[in-house]
Structure formats: C-alpha cells, structure tokens
Amino acid sequence: MDYQNIILEIDGPKAKICLNRPEVFHALNASILEELASAFQELGENETIRVITLTATGAEAFCSGADLKEGMANAGRPLGEILAENYEPLIIGIRECPKPVICQMNGIAAGAGMSLALACDLIIANDKAYMTELFVGIGLMPDAGSMYFLPRLVGVQKAFELCSTGRKIYMEEALQLGLVSKVAPENELEATVNQLTDYYASAPTVAIAQMKKVLNLTYESSLQQMLASEAKGQTRCGFTEDFGEGVMAFLQKRKPEFKGK
C-alpha cells in the first residue's frame, strides 16, 4: 500500500509506524485509519518483523482523536457504522497482531487517540504528554476500545470518572494508575523506547505472541478455559527453535540467541 498519512520505517526486525498529519495534530480520518490497519496487517504477516513501535511525527501530539471536520461531512450517518467500518479493523488488528506493539507517546493522546494508545501492548510516554477521554465535551461516550481497555486497567469507578469528566491525565498520575509503563524526559523518549524494542527484537517472538494471544482471553475465560489456552499456546512454543536454544543456553550457562522462530 502507498502510504500518504503515515510513515513506515523498517530497521531489521524492528518496525516503526508514525502518524503523519501534524497540521491537525494527527487526527484520525478514514484514510489514516485504513493505512494504519493495513500497516499492522502487513507487519504482522512479515516474519522478519519482531516488534512494532507506534508514534507520531513532531513533538506536540501523539493523536488528537477523530477528525471532526470529516465527521461534519458525515453528519446524519450513524456513528456506529463509522466505528465499525473505520476504527474496529485497526483496534482489532493491533490486539491480534502477533508482535509486541509499543506506543511511543510523544504528546497529547485525546479521545480516540487515547483509545489507540491503550490498544497497544505497552505505552512509553514523555513527561510532558497527557491523556484525556474528551468525548463527553461534545456529548459522546468513549469509543474505539476505550470502554474495554480503560476499566481493565484502572477499574470501573475510576474509568467512569475519567470518561464522564474528560479531565486531563498527566503522566505522573497515568503511571500511578498503570495506564503507561514508563515515563521518560522528552529528550530521552526515543532512546528509552529503543532500549525496549532492542529487547523485543532479540526475544522469543513466538512465545511472546502466544502470551499476547492468551492474555487477550483472560477476562472472558474461566480458569479451566485459561488452562486449556495456556496448554495450547505452550504446545506451540515447545516446537519452536527458540525453545531448544533457550534450554541449551540455560544448560551451557550462556545468554540465549533467539531467532524468533
């Protein structure tokens, strides 16, 4: 796909997707959502890619949410149809992507931009960023997955507060709530993310994919179902080259050299 609204960079086993609509603080319209969904599908199917970073160009915003100008053009169309058509394929694509997805939050993540960040496996943010579920300010409820991800991270009461007030969540609080994994000074954000992606680029990729797949099932499964899912995933891991390498490295008292296979 010829990308016009995102920049896709590949460096060996590492891929980076950058939202690239700085003139509107990387607001989400149908075109960028389609490109993002396509990029995640492409990278998920690429066996050489072992970790994906999602970020945005510039330093002011990660994503300001839905493009309201495009929304005005769709006035009268049921919003649920727009969500199903444009947003759901992307959010599901991130969660089902068999590679770890790291959000490098370089600035504000608002509305659907916050949803996009929460869909990632980990969020590393700069200390000047903030998040906000600002939907209530225009008479809407959060969407694009926020109502699924947020209460699982902070609990239902706190999620209700954050959604119904739409207040800003600065990074000190976001870290305390577990919304982000780490906060870095603005000038150290990229280096901090690179340390993490370097780790995943040399980690046992199949095992991590199985972890992600089974963790996605945890809130909808009984203990027995989770045990069965663990067993199925572990069977898959047990037939990988990385498992054999890991055992051999342990016995030889050396660091394993995982190939992601």
Side-chain angles (χ1 to χ4, degrees), residues 88-243:
E88 290 178 16
L90 171 59
I91 300 303
I92 292 172
I94 294 173
R95 292 313 312 152
E96 294 186 349
C97 180
K99 318 293 170 66
V101 179
I102 313 302
C103 175
Q104 180 176 317
M105 188 184 292
N106 54 307
I108 176 178
M114 180 170 171
S115 302
L116 181 60
L118 294 178
C120 298
D121 297 303
L122 294 171
I123 301 174
I124 311 297
N126 80 40
D127 56 359
K128 294 182 174 60
Y130 68 85
M131 310 167 85
T132 170
E133 295 281 14
L134 49 61
F135 297 88
V136 70
I138 56 171
L140 294 178
M141 61 176 283
D143 58 31
S146 270
M147 302 296 280
Y148 178 88
F149 300 117
L150 190 60
R152 284 164 168 75
L153 291 168
V154 303
V156 173
Q157 282 195 357
K158 178 58 70 172
F160 176 78
E161 179 219 324
L162 298 176
C163 292
S164 61
T165 65
R167 67 176 178 81
K168 295 177 181 179
I169 311 159
Y170 292 98
M171 288 303 101
E172 181 179 359
E173 180 183 8
L175 188 61
Q176 293 174 345
L177 290 173
L179 290 173
V180 301
S181 297
K182 184 175 287 189
V183 177
E186 187 175 15
N187 63 347
E188 297 177 15
L189 177 63
E190 187 167 2
T192 301
V193 172
N194 284 340
Q195 289 180 343
L196 190 59
T197 57
D198 283 345
Y199 163 75
Y200 283 114
S202 59
T205 309
V206 175
I208 289 170
Q210 292 300 314
M211 293 177 201
K212 181 172 178 177
K213 183 177 181 179
V214 175
L215 283 170
N216 281 340
L217 303 173
T218 187
Y219 287 102
E220 288 75 40
S221 300
S222 66
L223 173 58
Q224 290 80 4
Q225 289 170 326
M226 286 299 288
L227 289 169
S229 296
E230 288 174 349
K232 184 177 180 180
Q234 200 71 299
T235 296
R236 172 73 178 91
C237 295
F239 286 110
T240 61
E241 294 178 22
D242 283 345
F243 172 59

Side-chain angles (χ1 to χ4, degrees), residues 22 26 33 42 45-47 60 73 80-81 92 98 105 141-142 155 169 185 190 195 197 240 246 253 256:
H26 313 292
L33 288 163
E42 174 188 339
E45 294 172 353
N46 186 333
E47 294 184 358
E60 293 189 55
E81 289 183 4
I92 292 172
M105 188 184 292
M141 61 176 283
I169 311 159
E190 187 167 2
Q195 289 180 343
T197 57
T240 61
K253 298 181 179 180

Side-chain angles (χ1 to χ4, degrees), residues 3-9 16-20 35 57:
Y3 299 116
Q4 303 296 321
N5 299 284
I6 65 173
I7 298 172
L8 176 57
E9 302 172 356
K16 179 184 288 187
I17 302 171
C18 296
L19 283 68
N20 191 34
E35 291 184 15
T57 58

